[in-house]
Amino acid sequence: MTNLKHKTLLSLIYSAGLRIGEATNIKIKDIDSKRMLIHIKNAKGKKDRYTLLSSSFLELLRDYYKTYKPENYLFEGHNKQQYSSSSAQKILKNAAKKIGLKKRITLHTLRHSFATHLLENGTDIRYIQELLGHNSPKTTMIYTHVSETTIRKIKNPFDNI
């Protein structure tokens, strides 16, 4: 992607496992670079939570901030208003089209990918549940499509007998 704002927005959604509404609601003060956390306020179910702030993403975010100088919301559209979800969806659709991606992708796909990649890297499902803001681990399991490769790496306990 060549547009810095678009790249930063999509990177945020993936790197923090956010819903689109959560990403567009983030304010500058919600980014805690000292603790490397992002405070998600008033998420689904009117709950607050913290999620991860990637150090790689933080570099991109700093470039974005210097260039766009947002005043209130991290991502602002016309007249410094909150960026719209539909604009974000168009960004992803255009990016997918540009690279010739045939598979249907949505912004929520990025959230699914975040959860799946954490699980594949060995993160406990309870931590993923917390990062995604789910009440039930059953909800989290929907997001974690475990790959065959990961399943094949599991050592069967019978082999230790």
Side-chain angles (χ1 to χ4, degrees), residues 14-32:
Y14 168 72
S15 72
L18 301 181
R19 297 172 182 97
I20 182 52
E22 294 169 346
T24 57
N25 279 330
I26 290 179
K27 297 186 176 181
I28 298 157
K29 63 185 178 185
D30 298 333
I31 305 292
D32 186 344

Side-chain angles (χ1 to χ4, degrees), residues 119-137:
L119 188 67
E120 288 177 345
N121 287 327
T123 305
D124 187 292
I125 193 76
R126 291 168 296 195
Y127 292 122
I128 299 170
Q129 176 186 342
E130 186 70 28
L131 292 171
L132 294 176
H134 292 155
N135 288 328
S136 165

Side-chain angles (χ1 to χ4, degrees), residues 2-20:
T2 54
N3 183 302
L4 181 60
K5 181 188 279 189
H6 297 170
K7 182 179 180 178
T8 306
L9 176 60
L10 295 182
S11 297
L12 171 67
I13 293 168
Y14 168 72
S15 72
L18 301 181
R19 297 172 182 97
I20 182 52

Side-chain angles (χ1 to χ4, degrees), residues 70-129:
E71 293 174 14
N72 186 23
Y73 290 101
L74 187 58
F75 297 99
E76 296 173 335
H78 298 293
N79 301 322
K80 298 290 182 181
Q81 298 297 312
Q82 182 178 6
Y83 209 68
S84 76
S85 298
S86 59
S87 293
Q89 193 65 36
K90 284 178 194 165
I91 291 165
L92 182 65
K93 196 177 215 174
N94 290 337
K97 190 177 180 181
K98 195 182 245 184
I99 63 166
L101 185 65
K102 301 285 184 234
K103 187 176 180 183
R104 185 177 176 272
I105 184 173
T106 66
L107 292 167
H108 214 72
T109 306
L110 300 176
R111 180 171 160 88
H112 278 265
S113 297
F114 170 78
T116 302
H117 294 154
L118 285 175
L119 188 67
E120 288 177 345
N121 287 327
T123 305
D124 187 292
I125 193 76
R126 291 168 296 195
Y127 292 122
I128 299 170
Q129 176 186 342

